[in-house]
Amino acid sequence: MNSDESAVRDVVSGAVWDEFCEALKQAGRQVLRPEAPADALDRAEGWRYLTRLLRIGLEMHLEFADADFPGFFLPSHETGKIGADNPDNAYLFAKINGRHEYVIRGTRGSVSYLSIGTQKGGYETNGKMEQTGFIDAKDLHLGPNGEFEIRVSAEQPASGDWLRIEADSNAVIVRQTFLDRKTEKPAQLTIARTGTDAQPAPLSAVRLQAGLRNAARFVDGTATLFANWAQSYLPHANQLPPADQALCQSVGGDPNIFYYHSYWQLAPDEALVIRLPRIPDCRFWNLQINNWWMESLDYRYHRIHLNKHSAQLAADGSCTIVLAHRDPQHAPTQTVNWLETAGHERGTMCLRWVGAHEQVHPVTTVVKHDQLHQTLAA
């Protein structure tokens, strides 16, 4: 029996579903790792995290998996989060085949920062998303209404904007970064394969089986990758050192970004003071607070991040951020930015400089809440 016949048999019998459900159980091991928090909140968020990864995985590997007929979907959003997802970002993702050619069309909008990259690999295979091409919106040729067209191909066209791919390229990822979501207009984009007028074939047993298998591997691979990251931050709790930039890039990081990642943990009477001695000349920056699973905390209802637009700076250009379980209620003469723990006692955090000409490293201090005023005044 060949693989196609085997797939038909397993789909008809229901074995494909049993296999899928069994494979999903593997991801649960990441929630139960010995270093992972065991309290009710973190465990509950851990199990919910796996369901969120499953939703994303099914979109990626089943609903939008056909590289002959690609479409952009949301790989990270308010209720589906991966690897310190940026609360100021709108992400788009499309599956492609590096042996085909595509065209991306859109309008620029007014969003502060826009980048488009191609990648190979995947969290369901080698645990990486390595860049194969990149274009910054500042380099796009725009029409009178902000319209643009990008050729996506291995060979550079004679004219026009171009996004490079390799034979192994399998995805396009778009990052739109807002300074203020309330006032900025996002870019609008579509993607299509060129040189064909075919229509999608009906769903086959082979595609269904492959999609379910890849979705399950995606859940386990993604959960494992970022559980390893969270564990690696434990030795520098409540500090914010530079991350391994090569590692960040290997899993899909934007090449214009310099990253800091760490772990935080605060007792009910403690606060974490984060000082940025100055803000470097950069296109964008932000600092965000995540849970243990590296999901940004719920930015819809809690102030868990600050950026170039929302942060208040002191007269000397420095920025002081306080992560605390309750409002520090600083004196009017002190410029302090409060981030909420949103009911969490621990989690991870991330600082980004985007397009910075230099890296200004933060300084962190844990203090008792009742000593905050004295510390901030020093």
Side-chain angles (χ1 to χ4, degrees):
M1 182 180 297
N2 62 37
S3 59
D4 288 6
E5 292 171 337
S6 176
V8 170
R9 179 201 61 194
D10 290 347
V11 167
V12 172
S13 70
V16 68
W17 185 256
D18 292 341
E19 176 192 307
F20 173 63
C21 293
E22 285 298 319
L24 284 177
K25 290 182 180 180
Q26 300 301 312
R29 296 176 302 179
Q30 304 308 317
V31 177
L32 299 174
R33 288 167 63 137
E35 78 279 2
D39 61 284
L41 173 59
D42 287 303
R43 279 284 164 88
E45 289 188 337
W47 301 123
R48 183 184 64 182
Y49 170 53
L50 298 185
T51 70
R52 290 173 164 183
L53 292 180
L54 178 57
R55 285 160 47 206
I56 296 167
L58 290 171
E59 292 276 87
M60 183 180 295
H61 295 292
L62 189 60
E63 302 295 350
F64 289 88
D66 192 342
D68 287 342
F69 303 93
F72 284 117
F73 68 94
L74 305 177
S76 196
H77 46 81
E78 291 90 340
T79 61
K81 308 179 181 217
I82 297 177
D85 59 292
N86 186 342
D88 291 312
N89 270 9
Y91 297 91
L92 294 172
F93 191 95
K95 296 290 286 185
I96 62 170
N97 182 334
R99 292 174 174 81
H100 298 331
E101 295 188 0
Y102 302 85
V103 61
I104 297 173
R105 295 185 177 93
T107 53
R108 171 65 178 82
S110 62
V111 67
S112 175
Y113 176 78
L114 171 65
S115 70
I116 308 172
T118 61
Q119 298 175 338
K120 62 183 178 181
Y123 298 161
E124 73 284 354
T125 54
N126 64 356
K128 297 181 179 181
M129 292 176 63
E130 298 175 287
Q131 186 179 112
T132 59
F134 183 81
I135 189 166
D136 191 317
K138 68 180 179 60
D139 299 320
L140 290 174
H141 297 87
L142 303 177
N145 297 310
E147 62 270 23
F148 59 85
E149 180 173 299
I150 304 170
R151 307 300 294 187
V152 184
S153 59
E155 300 296 328
Q156 184 171 4
S159 61
D161 292 322
W162 174 54
L163 181 59
R164 179 180 177 273
I165 55 176
E166 300 174 358
D168 292 335
S169 298
N170 59 15
V172 174
I173 186 165
V174 179
R175 285 178 175 84
Q176 302 191 58
T177 306
F178 295 82
L179 289 174
D180 183 357
R181 285 184 185 267
K182 295 179 181 178
T183 61
E184 292 174 283
K185 182 179 180 180
Q188 302 295 317
L189 301 96
T190 63
I191 183 170
R193 184 184 169 190
T194 60
T196 180
D197 58 0
Q199 293 179 317
L203 179 64
S204 68
V206 171
R207 285 173 50 204
L208 185 279
Q209 184 180 62
L212 292 180
R213 285 176 173 174
N214 284 330
R217 292 185 188 116
F218 173 84
V219 175
D220 187 39
T222 306
T224 301
L225 173 66
F226 292 110
N228 290 341
W229 279 32
Q231 181 184 26
S232 74
Y233 305 151
L234 290 173
H236 46 77
N238 294 322
Q239 303 172 44
L240 199 48
D244 181 335
Q245 303 304 307
L247 178 60
C248 292
Q249 297 303 318
S250 74
V251 298
D254 188 311
N256 285 330
I257 300 178
F258 189 92
Y259 296 90
Y260 300 75
H261 285 290
S262 195
Y263 169 76
W264 63 271
Q265 182 168 3
L266 296 172
D269 63 342
E270 291 181 329
L272 176 63
V273 179
I274 305 169
R275 295 186 186 273
L276 303 174
R278 66 183 184 284
I279 304 302
D281 181 17
C282 62
R283 297 168 65 182
F284 175 87
W285 71 270
N286 75 353
L287 188 147
Q288 69 182 76
I289 303 303
N290 315 306
N291 63 14
W292 169 263
W293 312 108
M294 296 193 69
E295 299 179 296
S296 64
L297 298 185
D298 197 340
Y299 50 84
R300 297 172 299 175
Y301 305 109
H302 299 279
R303 191 178 191 189
I304 60 86
H305 74 295
L306 293 161
N307 67 25
K308 185 177 181 179
H309 170 76
S310 60
Q312 298 183 59
L313 306 186
D316 63 359
S318 64
C319 182
T320 300
I321 301 167
V322 174
L323 175 62
H325 299 294
R326 60 186 188 275
D327 191 339
Q329 298 178 335
H330 52 278
T333 57
Q334 298 169 335
T335 305
V336 176
N337 302 274
W338 174 43
L339 293 184
E340 304 176 47
T341 59
H344 294 72
E345 295 181 0
R346 66 186 63 79
T348 59
M349 52 185 167
C350 175
L351 169 67
R352 300 172 179 85
W353 301 123
V354 182
H357 296 288
E358 61 173 328
Q359 317 308 329
V360 177
H361 302 323
V363 179
T364 62
T365 308
V366 175
V367 300
K368 295 295 184 181
H369 202 280
D370 58 9
Q371 297 175 350
L372 259 177
H373 288 184
Q374 179 181 351
T375 300
L376 296 174

